[in-house]
Amino acid sequence: RLKSLKHAVELARCLLCSLMGIGASESEDDVAWIPERIFLFGFSAGACVVHELCRSWCNAGRMPLGGAICIAGGIQTEGNLLVTQLPKKDANNPNQAT
């Protein structure tokens, strides 16, 4: 799964670079898209791609994008995942913060 995720992220990165004119010759008259005006949307597997693309885009030190909307997607990285457990609710203490 990570191999196909990396491939999809690479394709999306190439598309973004093309839209922004990164790597294009300066003689072209095409207007490049402004990164701050680009918003990405992903659902399910697409959300995983968008999330990973934004993470790698930011880590590469590129100009930030406008934003991303990721719905119903999860991603498991190669490293260990940090799992946080919420404290159990005490039935005897109704004022306990959740």
Side-chain angles (χ1 to χ4, degrees):
R1 290 185 182 183
L2 288 176
K3 185 177 179 181
S4 61
L5 175 65
K6 288 178 184 179
H7 180 68
V9 168
E10 181 61 25
L11 291 174
R13 187 194 62 75
C14 289
L15 175 63
L16 278 178
C17 288
S18 176
L19 291 173
M20 290 186 276
I22 297 173
S25 64
E26 293 183 22
S27 63
E28 293 181 13
D29 293 332
D30 294 336
V31 176
W33 291 21
I34 300 168
E36 291 93 354
R37 294 184 180 176
I38 297 175
F39 290 80
L40 304 175
F41 177 89
F43 176 78
S44 191
C48 297
V49 173
V50 167
H51 182 268
E52 182 62 20
L53 174 63
C54 289
R55 187 195 65 75
S56 64
W57 190 268
C58 183
N59 286 347
R62 297 182 185 269
M63 186 174 255
L65 301 174
I69 300 169
C70 301
I71 298 177
I75 187 167
Q76 183 174 357
T77 61
E78 293 178 25
N80 295 331
L81 297 177
L82 175 63
V83 178
T84 305
Q85 292 183 345
L86 297 174
K88 293 183 180 180
K89 218 173 188 179
D90 184 3
N92 297 327
N93 185 359
N95 297 325
Q96 180 182 12
T98 55

